[in-house]
Amino acid sequence: SQQGEEDPQALSIQEGENATMNCSYKTSINNLQWYRQNSGRGLVHLILIRSNEREKHSGRLRVTLDTSKKSSSLLITASRAADTASYFCAGETSGSRLTFGEGTQLTVNP
Amino acid sequence: GAVVSQHPSRVICKSGTSVKIECRSLDFQATTMFWYRQFPKQSLMLMATSNEGSKATYEQGVEKDKFLINHASLTLSTLTVTSAHPEDSSFYICSARGSGGAYNEQFFGPGTRLTVL
């Protein structure tokens, strides 16, 4: 399978806490992207980190990339109930093809 | 960001019929469009990549005669599920990518939920 792996598969936290999700991939990538998906809806692009970058920030999001370990992490700080969703990583390879991880279902309890 | 629409958002059909799903880029020219399938509580699986004016490239295991893709213009790609069966019931999502600048990333449509009875 070309699918990446994400852990945890499910994460439940309280509002205000930080949420960390991890992603591993199998092939060389040009960049790694994180997406959010609310139940039954389309994907929302959150952040992109290039293969030559190690860390990137965007608002309450912090992404790291370790190409030697073929892994990435997404940290959401000061979580809110509205952050409840599924989060997917996706590695981009040649031809702009995206290979998605299995996803983490995040639940933020108010 | 750019807007990609899909139509219909939801479709229910009888087994054996064909269903066409449209994917449109509303404010940019999409040189490449991608079609994904997502089963409940699973991730997105790339089905095929289509470039405007040329034949689609299908991923391994995806039947090109069953899932017909037409990318006839720079703003429209269609996916036709032919002779649909219950196992084709899924959430189909398209994405579109421009040829540079702000539209070099993929923008995703809202998805189409197909239910085959």
Side-chain angles (χ1 to χ4, degrees):
Chain A
S1 167
Q2 291 298 306
Q3 287 293 97
E5 296 180 357
E6 287 187 58
D7 76 272
Q9 288 188 332
L11 179 61
S12 181
I13 59 175
Q14 295 298 123
E15 240 181 350
E17 294 180 340
N18 296 341
T20 300
M21 290 161 266
N22 302 296
C23 163
S24 62
Y25 55 93
K26 298 179 180 178
T27 61
S28 295
I29 57 173
N30 297 326
N31 61 65
L32 189 128
Q33 303 173 36
W34 284 89
Y35 290 85
R36 166 198 168 118
Q37 183 182 37
N38 285 62
S39 181
R41 307 292 290 275
L43 272 70
V44 175
H45 183 266
L46 295 177
I47 194 166
L48 179 154
I49 185 166
R50 301 189 190 285
S51 59
N52 61 353
E53 297 177 308
R54 292 296 168 258
E55 186 172 312
K56 200 163 184 179
H57 297 252
S58 176
R60 293 185 296 115
L61 305 179
R62 172 177 168 256
V63 171
T64 64
L65 179 65
D66 187 335
T67 53
S68 66
K69 295 181 180 178
K70 290 187 167 57
S71 67
S72 174
S73 69
L74 171 67
L75 168 67
I76 304 175
T77 60
S79 63
R80 306 165 182 167
D83 294 330
T84 295
S86 292
Y87 291 82
F88 294 93
C89 69
E92 182 180 301
T93 57
S94 61
S96 300
R97 293 172 69 252
L98 291 179
T99 300
F100 281 83
E102 295 173 354
T104 294
Q105 172 62 49
L106 173 66
T107 302
V108 181
N109 301 298
Chain B
V3 178
V4 175
S5 69
Q6 279 184 242
H7 177 81
S9 59
R10 186 181 297 266
V11 57
I12 301 172
C13 69
K14 293 182 179 179
S15 187
T17 60
S18 294
V19 175
K20 181 184 284 189
I21 302 170
E22 292 185 350
C23 177
R24 292 182 186 273
S25 58
L26 299 185
D27 50 3
F28 70 103
Q29 293 186 326
T31 51
T32 307
M33 286 185 169
F34 303 86
W35 286 95
Y36 297 84
R37 180 168 51 183
Q38 184 181 32
F39 291 108
K41 298 191 184 302
Q42 294 188 23
S43 187
L44 280 76
M45 295 291 292
L46 178 65
M47 299 175 67
T49 302
S50 74
N51 293 293
E52 186 265 338
S54 61
K55 290 184 178 180
T57 302
Y58 290 81
E59 295 298 303
Q60 193 172 7
V62 178
E63 299 175 57
K64 60 178 173 53
D65 294 329
K66 181 168 181 63
F67 299 99
L68 302 178
I69 292 172
N70 187 336
H71 191 166
S73 78
L74 284 171
T75 58
L76 173 65
S77 176
T78 60
L79 168 68
T80 301
V81 183
T82 62
S83 187
H85 288 94
E87 57 265 30
D88 298 323
S89 297
S90 188
F91 195 52
Y92 291 87
I93 304 175
C94 73
S95 70
R97 178 178 178 270
S99 58
Y103 301 112
N104 203 39
E105 64 180 84
Q106 288 188 38
F107 296 93
F108 283 79
T112 296
R113 180 150 320 274
L114 170 63
T115 302
V116 184
L117 303 176

